[in-house]
């Protein structure tokens, strides 16, 4: 019960209350759906406030101690979507693959197996039961079943549990002279030779089909192979034919249009918040575009947009009252 004691000491929650939360933790989620870009719905299971406090403590003080492979690009301090895209930018061919229902595919039984078989100094066998309760969603029950989309610990756990898989695939990729990265469920393979990329895909599919824990499956509806003359997107960024990384023409036009409306004092609060987000995105992924907008619209307008305070939900309700 070392984990329970440390949670209590760090959070100030009495041990009895911590135990009560843990017992019912798999059921302490708010479930809702959001629209997918390609159509359909994505189910989000968001942990209750008291459970999220415990999960964040576990993330910072326990899960962060596990190694993550260099080919894993998502939810890692110091890594971002730009670096992931840039790694593939000078390749001739890009193969995109996607795992189906990624987080829900990682089951409580996989976590048990991982802790029992891994050589780690972070969790003991005695920690398996409480960590199962803390990390895994019960899909409406108190029995832990799978990782949820919405828990702050799910990304770190997936990276930990796929360390060996990422390592094996990375080494195989070098043999085929291709590059491999995984951004959560989003896999990118790139190379100078189309043949090598396709040969490696066969090897990768065999590795995944033979993997027992966790049991993952590709969503072949999202598979795509693209050459330099085609539109190549990696983690939402466009790879240019010249080997660069870009926001893409459509996004730039949209941002420029918002700035033009701002210059005419024609943006409402919601659109101002949207513009601020896109300018931050531009600064992180294509700063030269942001510089061009500064030259066109002036520092004052850009600084005004970037410094805009986006009202919280409570503030918006107060304004409407």
């Amino acid at each position: 019960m070392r984990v329970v004691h440390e949670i209590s000491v760090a959070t100030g929650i009495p041990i009895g209350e911590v135990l009560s939360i843990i017992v019912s933790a798999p059921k302490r989620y708010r479930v809702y759906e959001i629209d997918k870009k390609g159509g359909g719905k994505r189910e989000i299971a968001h942990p209750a406030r008291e459970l999220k406090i415990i999960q964040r403590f576990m993330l910072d003080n326990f899960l962060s101690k596990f190694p993550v492979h260099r080919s894993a690009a998502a939810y890692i301090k110091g890594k971002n979507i730009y670096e992931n895209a840039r790694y593939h930018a000078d390749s001739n061919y890009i193969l995109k693959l996607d795992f189906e229902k990624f987080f829900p595919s990682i089951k409580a039984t996989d976590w048990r197996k991982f802790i029992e078989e891994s050589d780690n100094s972070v969790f003991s066998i005695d920690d398996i039961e409480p960590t199962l309760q803390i990390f895994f969603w019960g899909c409406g029950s108190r029995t832990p079943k799978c990782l949820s989309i919405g828990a702050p610990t799910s990304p770190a756990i997936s990276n930990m549990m796929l360390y060996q898989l990422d390592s094996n695939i990375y080494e195989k990729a070098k043999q085929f002279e291709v590059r491999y990265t995984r951004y959560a469920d989003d896999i990118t393979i790139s190379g100078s030779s189309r043949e090598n990329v396709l040969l490696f895909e066969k090897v990768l599919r065999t590795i995944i089909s033979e993997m027992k824990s966790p049991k993952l499956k590709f969503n072949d509806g999202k598979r795509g192979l693209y050459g330099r003359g085609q539109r190549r997107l990696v983690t939402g960024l466009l790879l240019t034919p010249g080997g660069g990384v870009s926001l893409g023409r459509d996004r730039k036009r949209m941002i420029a249009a918002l700035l033009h409306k701002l210059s005419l004092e024609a943006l409402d609060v919601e659109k101002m918040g949207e513009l601020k987000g896109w300018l931050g995105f531009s600064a992180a992924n294509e700063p030269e575009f942001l510089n061009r907008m500064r030259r066109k619209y002036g520092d004052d307008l850009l600084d005004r947009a970037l410094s805009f305070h986006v009202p919280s939900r409570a503030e918006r309700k107060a304004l409407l009252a």
Side-chain angles (χ1 to χ4, degrees):
M1 301 296 284
R2 173 181 63 96
V3 166
V4 175
H5 176 74
E6 292 196 27
I7 290 171
S8 177
V9 170
T11 63
I13 304 172
I15 285 184
E17 189 175 340
V18 172
L19 287 169
S20 177
I21 293 170
I22 290 175
V23 166
S24 59
K27 198 173 181 179
R28 291 177 182 250
Y29 288 78
R30 179 171 67 90
V31 182
Y32 56 96
E33 292 182 333
I34 60 173
D35 294 329
K36 291 184 178 180
K37 286 184 179 180
K41 300 286 185 180
R42 186 187 306 279
E43 187 175 50
I44 308 295
H46 197 273
R49 179 180 176 276
E50 66 279 1
L51 176 56
K52 185 182 281 189
I53 290 172
I54 292 174
Q55 288 178 342
R56 289 201 179 279
F57 169 77
M58 296 296 291
L59 175 63
D60 294 339
N61 295 277
F62 289 88
L63 301 183
S64 61
K65 296 179 181 180
F66 283 83
V68 176
H69 195 266
R70 60 185 294 182
S71 60
Y75 316 109
I76 299 170
K77 189 176 181 179
K79 290 190 176 184
N80 52 46
I81 61 172
Y82 175 82
E83 288 187 2
N84 185 52
R86 184 69 190 88
Y87 182 64
H88 299 280
D90 60 354
S91 297
N92 292 330
Y93 294 92
I94 301 289
L95 175 65
K96 299 293 299 174
L97 297 171
D98 187 90
F99 286 127
E100 187 175 281
K101 297 180 180 178
F102 180 58
F103 285 148
S105 294
I106 301 176
K107 309 294 186 184
T109 51
D110 298 320
W111 175 256
R112 182 184 297 278
K113 181 179 176 66
F114 174 77
I115 298 301
E116 287 176 346
E117 297 181 357
S118 66
D119 181 20
N120 80 89
S121 58
V122 181
F123 293 122
S124 69
I125 298 299
D126 291 338
D127 293 324
I128 291 177
E129 295 306 323
T131 54
L132 278 172
Q133 296 289 121
I134 292 168
F135 297 142
F136 288 81
W137 175 38
C139 303
S141 76
R142 291 190 175 195
T143 303
K145 294 182 180 179
C146 63
L147 292 184
S148 78
I149 303 171
T153 45
S154 292
I157 290 171
S158 66
N159 282 338
M160 290 161 44
M161 295 180 67
L162 295 188
Y163 178 88
Q164 193 57 56
L165 175 68
D166 287 331
S167 179
N168 292 343
I169 295 173
Y170 178 80
E171 293 303 322
K172 285 287 185 183
K174 288 197 294 186
Q175 295 175 24
F176 284 81
E177 299 182 339
V178 300
R179 295 175 179 178
Y180 159 80
T181 58
R182 181 183 59 80
Y183 196 92
D185 59 347
D186 186 351
I187 289 176
T188 305
I189 300 157
S190 67
S192 58
S193 162
R194 184 176 187 273
E195 180 183 10
N196 281 5
V197 169
L198 291 176
L199 285 172
F200 178 70
E201 181 186 8
K202 292 181 180 179
V203 172
L204 174 59
R205 287 182 177 274
T206 299
I207 291 173
I208 297 302
S209 67
E210 293 177 350
M211 187 175 177
K212 302 300 182 184
S213 178
K215 193 64 180 174
L216 301 174
K217 180 182 177 182
F218 286 119
N219 179 354
D220 287 330
K222 292 188 176 181
R223 180 192 180 276
L225 178 64
Y226 310 96
R228 280 190 183 269
Q230 297 171 287
R231 191 167 185 266
R232 302 179 301 161
L233 285 173
V234 175
T235 45
L237 295 174
L238 185 70
L239 306 188
T240 67
V245 177
S246 172
L247 302 177
R249 185 181 302 171
D250 292 342
R251 279 181 179 155
K252 291 177 184 178
R253 286 176 174 170
M254 179 266 294
I255 295 168
L258 289 173
L259 283 169
H260 177 67
K261 287 184 178 180
L262 177 59
S263 71
L264 300 175
E265 302 295 333
L267 275 193
D268 59 22
V269 170
E270 184 176 344
K271 287 296 182 181
M272 279 290 291
E274 183 180 331
L275 174 58
K276 179 180 180 178
W278 281 117
L279 292 177
F281 186 78
S282 302
N285 297 295
E286 195 175 349
E288 179 51 36
F289 169 70
L290 192 63
N291 292 335
R292 291 202 303 273
M293 293 298 97
R294 281 190 178 277
R295 290 193 291 269
K296 181 174 181 179
Y297 290 102
D299 288 338
D300 289 346
L301 189 77
L302 268 292
D303 290 342
R304 177 184 164 193
L306 285 165
S307 62
F308 175 73
H309 169 67
V310 181
S312 66
R313 184 180 299 176
E315 288 171 329
R316 289 196 297 270
K317 283 184 177 179
L319 287 171
L320 294 172

XYZ file of all heavy atoms in Angstrom, residues 88-165:
628
model
N 10.596 13.481 -40.956
C 10.233 12.782 -42.197
C 10.253 13.693 -43.427
O 9.998 13.227 -44.545
C 8.826 12.190 -42.060
C 8.693 11.181 -40.956
N 9.097 9.871 -41.090
C 8.192 11.298 -39.691
C 8.855 9.215 -39.961
N 8.307 10.064 -39.095
N 10.549 14.964 -43.248
C 10.313 15.956 -44.300
C 11.135 15.754 -45.559
O 10.685 16.085 -46.661
C 10.541 17.370 -43.752
N 12.355 15.229 -45.445
C 13.202 15.098 -46.633
C 13.089 13.725 -47.300
O 13.871 13.388 -48.193
C 14.667 15.395 -46.287
C 15.220 14.453 -45.216
O 14.438 13.646 -44.675
O 16.418 14.533 -44.933
N 12.097 12.927 -46.890
C 11.890 11.609 -47.501
C 11.032 11.724 -48.753
O 10.201 12.625 -48.879
C 11.208 10.662 -46.501
O 12.024 10.441 -45.369
N 11.219 10.783 -49.674
C 10.440 10.789 -50.922
C 9.027 10.241 -50.727
O 8.085 10.688 -51.395
C 11.153 9.969 -51.986
C 12.446 10.616 -52.447
O 12.568 11.839 -52.434
N 13.418 9.805 -52.829
N 8.888 9.260 -49.821
C 7.594 8.595 -49.629
C 7.225 8.572 -48.146
O 8.073 8.358 -47.274
C 7.624 7.164 -50.176
C 7.783 7.115 -51.671
C 9.046 7.022 -52.248
C 6.670 7.212 -52.508
C 9.195 7.011 -53.631
C 6.818 7.204 -53.887
C 8.074 7.107 -54.440
O 8.221 7.112 -55.811
N 5.948 8.794 -47.898
C 5.407 8.785 -46.538
C 4.281 7.758 -46.473
O 3.342 7.806 -47.270
C 4.832 10.168 -46.149
C 5.898 11.256 -46.238
C 4.205 10.117 -44.759
C 6.949 11.193 -45.164
N 4.368 6.834 -45.529
C 3.288 5.878 -45.282
C 2.645 6.211 -43.945
O 3.331 6.307 -42.921
C 3.824 4.447 -45.244
C 2.805 3.352 -44.865
C 1.717 3.233 -45.930
C 3.499 2.011 -44.648
N 1.332 6.411 -43.950
C 0.591 6.727 -42.740
C -0.254 5.521 -42.323
O -1.014 4.977 -43.121
C -0.325 7.938 -42.981
C 0.401 9.212 -43.369
C 1.253 9.735 -42.240
C 0.418 10.056 -41.041
N 1.285 10.427 -39.869
N -0.112 5.113 -41.068
C -0.905 4.029 -40.497
C -1.493 4.497 -39.172
O -0.950 5.405 -38.529
C -0.046 2.784 -40.275
C 0.568 2.139 -41.527
C 1.569 1.059 -41.130
C -0.516 1.547 -42.412
N -2.567 3.860 -38.763
C -3.275 4.314 -37.570
C -3.812 3.106 -36.807
O -4.393 2.197 -37.401
C -4.429 5.235 -37.991
C -5.101 5.886 -36.796
O -4.649 6.972 -36.410
O -6.066 5.306 -36.260
N -3.603 3.100 -35.485
C -4.168 2.038 -34.656
C -5.636 2.325 -34.379
O -6.021 3.459 -34.093
C -3.430 1.917 -33.325
C -2.067 1.289 -33.430
C -0.951 1.925 -32.913
C -1.904 0.060 -34.038
C 0.301 1.339 -32.998
C -0.657 -0.545 -34.136
C 0.449 0.108 -33.608
N -6.442 1.300 -34.435
C -7.879 1.428 -34.186
C -8.160 1.368 -32.691
O -7.672 0.481 -31.990
C -8.609 0.284 -34.903
C -10.104 0.365 -34.877
C -10.731 -0.735 -35.722
O -10.767 -0.591 -36.956
O -11.161 -1.740 -35.140
N -8.949 2.349 -32.196
C -9.346 2.388 -30.780
C -8.135 2.155 -29.878
O -8.110 1.237 -29.054
C -10.437 1.356 -30.504
C -11.715 1.610 -31.271
C -12.778 0.574 -30.965
C -14.061 0.850 -31.748
N -15.096 -0.173 -31.494
N -7.140 3.021 -30.025
C -5.828 2.820 -29.412
C -5.882 2.697 -27.887
O -5.517 1.649 -27.331
C -4.904 3.968 -29.831
C -3.518 3.878 -29.267
C -2.720 2.775 -29.518
C -3.009 4.904 -28.474
C -1.432 2.700 -29.005
C -1.727 4.839 -27.973
C -0.936 3.739 -28.235
N -6.316 3.728 -27.184
C -6.324 3.657 -25.722
C -7.236 2.549 -25.197
O -6.831 1.784 -24.319
C -6.724 5.006 -25.122
C -5.634 6.053 -25.198
C -5.946 7.393 -25.342
C -4.292 5.707 -25.134
C -4.948 8.359 -25.416
C -3.285 6.656 -25.214
C -3.615 7.989 -25.360
N -8.473 2.411 -25.695
C -9.312 1.309 -25.204
C -8.746 -0.085 -25.507
O -9.177 -1.062 -24.877
C -10.637 1.534 -25.948
C -10.655 2.995 -26.253
C -9.232 3.328 -26.571
N -7.808 -0.185 -26.460
C -7.195 -1.479 -26.767
C -6.195 -1.911 -25.690
O -5.807 -3.081 -25.636
C -6.475 -1.434 -28.115
O -7.392 -1.262 -29.175
N -5.775 -0.977 -24.859
C -4.821 -1.290 -23.789
C -5.630 -1.603 -22.533
O -6.254 -0.727 -21.932
C -3.844 -0.123 -23.564
C -3.083 0.149 -24.864
C -2.878 -0.443 -22.420
C -2.152 1.344 -24.814
N -5.622 -2.872 -22.167
C -6.522 -3.385 -21.133
C -5.853 -3.459 -19.756
O -4.622 -3.438 -19.641
C -7.009 -4.781 -21.519
C -7.579 -4.901 -22.920
C -8.853 -4.120 -23.102
C -9.479 -4.373 -24.471
N -10.687 -3.543 -24.686
N -6.696 -3.588 -18.740
C -6.190 -3.764 -17.379
C -5.334 -5.020 -17.272
O -4.327 -5.042 -16.552
C -7.368 -3.836 -16.399
N -5.709 -6.057 -17.993
C -4.912 -7.297 -17.972
C -3.513 -7.065 -18.565
O -2.544 -7.715 -18.153
C -5.623 -8.401 -18.766
O -5.980 -7.897 -20.076
C -6.883 -8.874 -18.062
N -3.404 -6.147 -19.528
C -2.099 -5.826 -20.101
C -1.211 -5.137 -19.068
O -0.001 -5.377 -19.012
C -2.255 -4.917 -21.327
C -3.033 -5.562 -22.449
O -2.834 -6.762 -22.699
O -3.862 -4.863 -23.077
N -1.810 -4.249 -18.264
C -1.043 -3.566 -17.221
C -0.533 -4.562 -16.185
O 0.625 -4.504 -15.767
C -1.918 -2.514 -16.539
C -1.266 -1.828 -15.380
C -1.504 -2.044 -14.051
C -0.267 -0.800 -15.431
N -0.727 -1.230 -13.271
C 0.045 -0.447 -14.096
C 0.391 -0.157 -16.473
C 0.995 0.530 -13.783
C 1.331 0.831 -16.160
C 1.625 1.155 -14.837
N -1.391 -5.485 -15.780
C -0.976 -6.503 -14.811
C 0.219 -7.289 -15.346
O 1.213 -7.494 -14.636
C -2.144 -7.445 -14.505
C -1.821 -8.507 -13.456
C -2.995 -9.466 -13.282
N -4.173 -8.776 -12.790
C -4.379 -8.483 -11.514
N -3.479 -8.820 -10.606
N -5.484 -7.862 -11.149
N 0.128 -7.709 -16.582
C 1.208 -8.475 -17.208
C 2.484 -7.643 -17.303
O 3.586 -8.129 -17.038
C 0.764 -8.928 -18.601
C 1.764 -9.760 -19.379
C 1.178 -10.159 -20.725
C 2.169 -10.909 -21.591
N 2.506 -12.217 -21.007
N 2.313 -6.371 -17.653
C 3.462 -5.476 -17.800
C 4.212 -5.316 -16.478
O 5.447 -5.427 -16.431
C 2.974 -4.108 -18.301
C 4.041 -3.054 -18.366
C 4.962 -3.051 -19.396
C 4.103 -2.059 -17.408
C 5.952 -2.071 -19.461
C 5.082 -1.078 -17.463
C 6.010 -1.080 -18.495
N 3.505 -5.079 -15.384
C 4.154 -4.893 -14.078
C 4.759 -6.201 -13.584
O 5.865 -6.213 -13.029
C 3.156 -4.326 -13.041
C 2.660 -2.947 -13.483
C 3.804 -4.238 -11.662
C 3.756 -1.908 -13.659
N 4.056 -7.300 -13.789
C 4.569 -8.602 -13.316
C 5.848 -8.997 -14.046
O 6.749 -9.600 -13.452
C 3.504 -9.678 -13.511
C 2.340 -9.582 -12.544
C 1.253 -10.597 -12.826
O 1.263 -11.202 -13.931
O 0.378 -10.791 -11.960
N 5.941 -8.641 -15.337
C 7.068 -9.121 -16.143
C 8.175 -8.094 -16.339
O 9.282 -8.450 -16.750
C 6.556 -9.576 -17.519
C 5.597 -10.754 -17.432
C 5.124 -11.218 -18.798
O 5.501 -10.586 -19.816
O 4.374 -12.218 -18.839
N 7.897 -6.813 -16.062
C 8.919 -5.795 -16.299
C 9.876 -5.709 -15.125
O 9.498 -5.937 -13.964
C 8.273 -4.430 -16.542
O 7.620 -3.970 -15.378
N 11.109 -5.375 -15.430
C 12.137 -5.202 -14.408
C 12.175 -3.723 -14.048
O 12.944 -2.950 -14.606
C 13.485 -5.685 -14.934
C 14.584 -5.554 -13.907
O 14.256 -5.461 -12.714
O 15.776 -5.528 -14.303
N 11.308 -3.321 -13.126
C 11.250 -1.909 -12.762
C 11.321 -1.745 -11.254
O 10.948 -2.636 -10.497
C 9.984 -1.264 -13.324
C 8.753 -1.559 -12.482
O 8.439 -0.831 -11.547
N 8.041 -2.658 -12.806
N 11.799 -0.592 -10.842
C 11.919 -0.302 -9.408
C 10.855 0.693 -8.966
O 10.913 1.214 -7.855
C 13.306 0.269 -9.113
O 13.534 1.444 -9.873
N 9.880 0.952 -9.832
C 8.856 1.952 -9.537
C 7.653 1.323 -8.846
O 7.190 1.799 -7.807
C 8.421 2.662 -10.839
C 7.364 3.727 -10.525
C 9.611 3.290 -11.537
N 7.128 0.250 -9.436
C 5.952 -0.418 -8.872
C 6.298 -1.844 -8.476
O 6.998 -2.559 -9.208
C 4.814 -0.454 -9.895
C 4.238 0.889 -10.232
C 4.224 1.347 -11.543
C 3.707 1.702 -9.240
C 3.689 2.575 -11.871
C 3.165 2.945 -9.552
C 3.161 3.391 -10.871
N 5.778 -2.273 -7.337
C 5.931 -3.657 -6.897
C 4.667 -4.429 -7.227
O 3.668 -3.858 -7.670
C 6.190 -3.699 -5.389
O 5.024 -3.299 -4.685
N 4.704 -5.712 -6.994
C 3.524 -6.548 -7.215
C 2.352 -6.062 -6.358
O 1.190 -6.091 -6.784
C 3.831 -8.028 -6.898
C 4.930 -8.560 -7.835
C 2.581 -8.875 -7.036
C 4.587 -8.521 -9.300
N 2.650 -5.564 -5.156
C 1.596 -5.069 -4.266
C 0.913 -3.814 -4.803
O -0.188 -3.469 -4.363
C 2.175 -4.757 -2.882
C 2.600 -6.017 -2.141
O 2.086 -7.103 -2.486
O 3.434 -5.925 -1.227
N 1.567 -3.126 -5.739
C 0.997 -1.900 -6.300
C 0.055 -2.164 -7.477
O -0.610 -1.235 -7.950
C 2.124 -0.973 -6.796
C 2.986 -0.442 -5.664
O 2.433 -0.176 -4.585
O 4.213 -0.308 -5.869
N -0.005 -3.406 -7.928
C -0.798 -3.696 -9.123
C -2.270 -3.353 -8.929
O -2.878 -2.661 -9.756
C -0.647 -5.171 -9.552
C 0.775 -5.428 -10.070
C -1.672 -5.519 -10.648
C 1.050 -6.872 -10.440
N -2.866 -3.831 -7.841
C -4.310 -3.626 -7.651
C -4.688 -2.150 -7.527
O -5.600 -1.691 -8.227
C -4.801 -4.424 -6.445
C -4.700 -5.933 -6.604
C -5.399 -6.447 -7.859
O -6.475 -5.896 -8.222
O -4.877 -7.383 -8.473
N -4.017 -1.362 -6.659
C -4.408 0.052 -6.586
C -4.147 0.816 -7.878
O -4.951 1.685 -8.253
C -3.567 0.603 -5.428
C -2.486 -0.384 -5.201
C -3.021 -1.704 -5.624
N -3.064 0.491 -8.584
C -2.786 1.217 -9.829
C -3.775 0.827 -10.927
O -4.131 1.665 -11.767
C -1.348 0.979 -10.314
O -1.084 -0.432 -10.426
C -0.340 1.617 -9.367
N -4.228 -0.404 -10.930
C -5.273 -0.806 -11.877
C -6.510 0.062 -11.683
O -7.111 0.547 -12.646
C -5.643 -2.275 -11.684
C -4.750 -3.334 -12.329
C -5.177 -4.721 -11.865
C -4.825 -3.243 -13.836
N -6.877 0.255 -10.428
C -8.070 1.046 -10.117
C -7.877 2.515 -10.512
O -8.785 3.156 -11.037
C -8.382 0.966 -8.614
C -8.753 -0.413 -8.107
C -10.123 -0.853 -8.578
O -10.265 -1.866 -9.244
N -11.140 -0.085 -8.245
N -6.687 3.032 -10.268
C -6.420 4.448 -10.514
C -6.342 4.763 -12.002
O -6.865 5.783 -12.461
C -5.105 4.868 -9.815
C -5.269 4.832 -8.300
C -4.664 6.264 -10.272
C -3.955 4.948 -7.537
N -5.716 3.884 -12.791
C -5.399 4.207 -14.181
C -6.438 3.752 -15.202
O -6.505 4.307 -16.297
C -4.056 3.585 -14.579
C -2.878 4.107 -13.811
C -1.846 3.254 -13.442
C -2.792 5.443 -13.456
C -0.747 3.723 -12.745
C -1.698 5.927 -12.753
C -0.669 5.057 -12.390
N -7.239 2.739 -14.865
C -8.081 2.109 -15.881
C -9.569 2.369 -15.652
O -10.103 2.184 -14.567
C -7.797 0.605 -15.953
C -6.451 0.316 -16.577
C -5.291 0.416 -15.827
C -6.353 -0.004 -17.921
C -4.046 0.180 -16.401
C -5.116 -0.233 -18.506
C -3.957 -0.140 -17.747
N -10.206 2.780 -16.729
C -11.632 3.098 -16.751
C -12.457 1.812 -16.691
O -12.107 0.789 -17.300
C -11.915 3.869 -18.039
C -13.341 4.205 -18.315
C -14.293 4.579 -17.430
C -13.965 4.236 -19.608
N -15.484 4.840 -18.072
C -15.303 4.631 -19.414
C -13.522 3.977 -20.906
C -16.205 4.757 -20.466
C -14.406 4.110 -21.945
C -15.733 4.498 -21.732
N -13.574 1.870 -15.984
C -14.414 0.686 -15.833
C -15.564 0.604 -16.812
O -16.383 -0.314 -16.723
N -15.671 1.562 -17.741
C -16.773 1.569 -18.724
C -18.134 1.495 -18.031
O -19.034 0.763 -18.462
C -16.620 0.425 -19.723
S -15.052 0.417 -20.611
N -18.250 2.228 -16.920
C -19.524 2.271 -16.202
C -19.567 1.419 -14.951
O -20.538 1.482 -14.197
N -18.535 0.636 -14.698
C -18.512 -0.210 -13.512
C -17.293 0.115 -12.655
O -16.457 0.924 -13.024
C -18.455 -1.688 -13.916
O -17.147 -2.033 -14.360
N -17.180 -0.540 -11.505
C -16.031 -0.348 -10.626
C -14.880 -1.280 -10.962
O -13.841 -1.265 -10.287
C -16.449 -0.559 -9.166
C -17.370 0.519 -8.617
C -17.524 0.369 -7.114
N -18.300 1.468 -6.538
C -18.355 1.745 -5.243
N -17.691 0.982 -4.380
N -19.068 2.760 -4.788
N -15.055 -2.096 -11.957
C -14.005 -3.030 -12.374
C -13.147 -2.385 -13.452
O -13.667 -2.006 -14.506
C -14.619 -4.328 -12.919
O -15.456 -4.913 -11.927
C -13.525 -5.319 -13.316
N -11.839 -2.237 -13.234
C -10.987 -1.590 -14.242
C -10.906 -2.425 -15.518
O -10.695 -3.639 -15.461
C -9.619 -1.505 -13.549
C -9.652 -2.563 -12.497
C -11.077 -2.667 -12.046
N -11.083 -1.762 -16.667
C -11.117 -2.501 -17.931
C -10.097 -2.019 -18.954
O -9.373 -2.811 -19.537
C -12.527 -2.438 -18.519
C -13.556 -3.171 -17.662
C -14.953 -3.149 -18.266
C -15.935 -3.897 -17.373
N -17.320 -3.876 -17.902
N -10.049 -0.706 -19.221
C -9.163 -0.225 -20.276
C -8.754 1.221 -20.020
O -9.337 1.898 -19.159
C -9.843 -0.342 -21.641
S -11.337 0.668 -21.798
N -7.767 1.690 -20.757
C -7.409 3.107 -20.694
C -8.503 3.929 -21.348
O -9.164 3.472 -22.281
C -6.091 3.357 -21.421
C -4.812 2.778 -20.813
C -3.605 3.214 -21.636
C -4.633 3.191 -19.356
N -8.670 5.141 -20.871
C -9.677 6.022 -21.453
C -9.023 7.157 -22.220
O -7.905 7.573 -21.911
C -10.571 6.614 -20.359
O -9.912 7.679 -19.696
N -9.738 7.637 -23.234
C -9.371 8.885 -23.884
C -9.896 9.989 -22.975
O -11.098 10.173 -22.847
C -10.008 9.006 -25.279
C -9.618 7.822 -26.154
C -9.607 10.312 -25.941
C -10.375 7.767 -27.472
N -9.021 10.691 -22.300
C -9.448 11.731 -21.378
C -8.681 11.734 -20.075
O -8.576 12.770 -19.417
N -8.135 10.596 -19.678
C -7.342 10.533 -18.451
C -5.933 11.050 -18.718
O -5.315 10.675 -19.724
C -7.288 9.103 -17.931
N -5.363 11.889 -17.848
C -4.023 12.429 -18.088
C -2.922 11.377 -18.066
O -1.825 11.608 -18.582
C -3.841 13.440 -16.948
C -4.780 12.991 -15.881
C -5.952 12.404 -16.594
N -3.212 10.214 -17.478
C -2.208 9.156 -17.372
C -2.178 8.219 -18.584
O -1.196 7.501 -18.783
C -2.482 8.324 -16.112
O -3.886 8.032 -16.040
C -2.073 9.073 -14.862
N -3.233 8.210 -19.385
C -3.308 7.252 -20.495
C -2.156 7.386 -21.495
O -1.569 6.371 -21.893
C -4.652 7.381 -21.216
O -5.708 6.956 -20.389
N -1.788 8.594 -21.936
C -0.680 8.710 -22.895
C 0.637 8.162 -22.355
O 1.361 7.446 -23.063
C -0.588 10.217 -23.145
C -1.955 10.733 -22.861
C -2.442 9.915 -21.710
N 0.961 8.490 -21.105
C 2.218 8.016 -20.526
C 2.230 6.494 -20.399
O 3.250 5.839 -20.683
C 2.441 8.660 -19.158
N 1.111 5.925 -19.978
C 1.043 4.466 -19.832
C 1.209 3.789 -21.190
O 1.917 2.781 -21.323
C -0.284 4.057 -19.163
C -0.272 4.487 -17.695
C -0.513 2.549 -19.269
C -1.603 4.328 -16.982
N 0.583 4.340 -22.218
C 0.720 3.739 -23.552
C 2.166 3.805 -24.025
O 2.684 2.833 -24.595
C -0.205 4.435 -24.555
O 0.181 5.780 -24.774
N 2.847 4.915 -23.789
C 4.255 5.027 -24.189
C 5.135 4.049 -23.425
O 6.050 3.438 -23.984
C 4.758 6.454 -23.974
C 4.309 7.410 -25.061
O 3.979 7.001 -26.175
N 4.294 8.692 -24.749
N 4.877 3.894 -22.128
C 5.630 2.946 -21.309
C 5.454 1.519 -21.818
O 6.423 0.780 -22.016
C 5.133 2.989 -19.861
C 5.462 4.228 -19.080
S 4.386 4.379 -17.628
C 4.387 2.709 -16.975
N 4.211 1.141 -22.026
C 3.909 -0.238 -22.366
C 4.314 -0.604 -23.789
O 4.458 -1.783 -24.116
C 2.422 -0.517 -22.134
C 2.035 -0.413 -20.664
S 0.287 -0.735 -20.343
C 0.182 -2.473 -20.746
N 4.507 0.406 -24.629
C 4.930 0.140 -26.004
C 6.413 0.415 -26.217
O 6.887 0.455 -27.361
C 4.109 0.984 -26.978
C 2.614 0.672 -27.039
C 1.953 1.447 -28.180
C 2.345 -0.820 -27.212
N 7.157 0.581 -25.132
C 8.595 0.855 -25.262
C 9.303 -0.241 -26.054
O 10.060 0.037 -26.992
C 9.244 0.989 -23.880
C 10.741 1.213 -23.956
C 11.260 2.495 -24.061
C 11.629 0.139 -23.945
C 12.628 2.712 -24.153
C 13.000 0.339 -24.039
C 13.490 1.628 -24.134
O 14.847 1.830 -24.234
N 9.055 -1.486 -25.692
C 9.734 -2.589 -26.371
C 9.293 -2.704 -27.824
O 10.104 -2.964 -28.721
C 9.467 -3.915 -25.642
C 10.378 -5.061 -26.084
C 11.846 -4.743 -25.927
O 12.295 -4.397 -24.826
N 12.617 -4.841 -27.011
N 8.013 -2.478 -28.069
C 7.512 -2.500 -29.444
C 8.175 -1.400 -30.271
O 8.664 -1.662 -31.383
C 5.994 -2.305 -29.462
C 5.358 -2.181 -30.854
C 5.441 -3.509 -31.595
C 3.908 -1.709 -30.748
